[in-house]
């Protein structure tokens, strides 16, 4: 849930943390960066929430600068594991990103064009690539 929606549910007693085994924060860096630390504190220290030693807290983020790691320690067990993939704070060099600004009625045409170009490049290079397209 979003922090605001979850807090609303908790305050209306629709949701309780009594049986919480896992406290998961996705995009934790963004949440902290956008000023949601107060909300995270509210949930993590709520009277119904099991203590951090009695629950598993998982924080996921694409970037995790040192200052955010320090704040995160408040919510994690003392023997927590910090796992990274790649270099923190940098883009994966093997990934290329392209952004196309397209009129709404041209989206289908542009997607077909991009997919065709990708397939032709794969055939030419003899290598398969993985592609994500966000519309």
């Amino acid at each position: 849930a979003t922090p605001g929606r979850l807090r609303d549910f908790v305050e209306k007693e629709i949701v309780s943390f009594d049986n919480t085994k896992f406290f998961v924060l996705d995009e934790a860096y963004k949440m902290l960066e956008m000023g949601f630390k107060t909300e995270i504190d509210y949930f993590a220290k709520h009277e119904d929430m099991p203590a951090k030693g009695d629950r598993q807290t998982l924080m996921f983020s694409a970037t995790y600068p040192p200052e955010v790691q320090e704040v995160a320690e408040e919510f994690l067990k003392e023997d927590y594991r910090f796992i990274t993939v790649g270099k923190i704070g940098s883009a994966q060099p093997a990934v290329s990103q392209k952004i196309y600004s397209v009129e709404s009625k041209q989206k289908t045409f542009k997607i077909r064009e991009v997919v065709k170009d990708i397939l032709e490049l794969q055939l030419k290079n003899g290598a398969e690539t993985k592609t994500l397209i966000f519309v």
Side-chain angles (χ1 to χ4, degrees), residues 62-126:
T63 57
Y64 231 72
E67 60 272 13
V68 174
Q69 292 176 42
E70 290 174 26
V71 172
E73 288 180 11
E74 287 182 45
F75 309 110
L76 303 171
K77 293 179 182 179
E78 288 187 26
D79 63 343
Y80 73 90
R81 300 281 193 272
F82 183 73
I83 300 170
T84 63
V85 177
K87 186 177 176 184
I88 296 175
S90 66
Q92 173 54 259
V95 174
S96 67
Q97 299 179 43
K98 295 181 182 176
I99 299 171
Y100 300 98
S101 179
V102 180
E103 296 281 335
S104 183
K105 58 187 172 191
Q106 294 295 316
K107 285 182 182 180
T108 302
F109 173 79
K110 188 63 177 178
I111 290 171
R112 287 182 179 149
E113 181 182 52
V114 169
V115 170
K116 180 179 169 273
D117 291 347
I118 291 167
L119 292 173
E120 286 175 358
L121 188 62
Q122 285 181 354
L123 285 172
K124 178 182 170 187
N125 295 335

Side-chain angles (χ1 to χ4, degrees), residues 2-66:
T2 61
R5 175 64 96 190
L6 182 57
R7 186 174 190 138
D8 184 46
F9 285 162
V10 170
E11 289 173 353
K12 290 179 179 174
E13 297 182 357
I14 296 170
V15 171
S16 168
F17 297 123
D18 284 340
N19 297 312
T20 300
K21 303 288 184 227
F22 301 95
F23 182 45
V24 180
L25 298 169
D26 192 18
E27 291 303 330
Y29 168 63
K30 276 292 181 199
M31 290 176 68
L32 292 169
E33 180 185 59
M34 293 174 66
F36 286 107
K37 184 178 181 305
T38 304
E39 281 77 7
I40 297 171
D41 280 338
Y42 173 82
F43 303 130
K45 298 172 183 170
H46 191 274
E47 62 187 26
D48 292 344
M49 178 67 81
K52 67 181 180 180
D54 297 328
R55 68 170 190 262
Q56 183 78 33
T57 302
L58 306 165
M59 301 177 86
F60 297 95
S61 192
T63 57
Y64 231 72

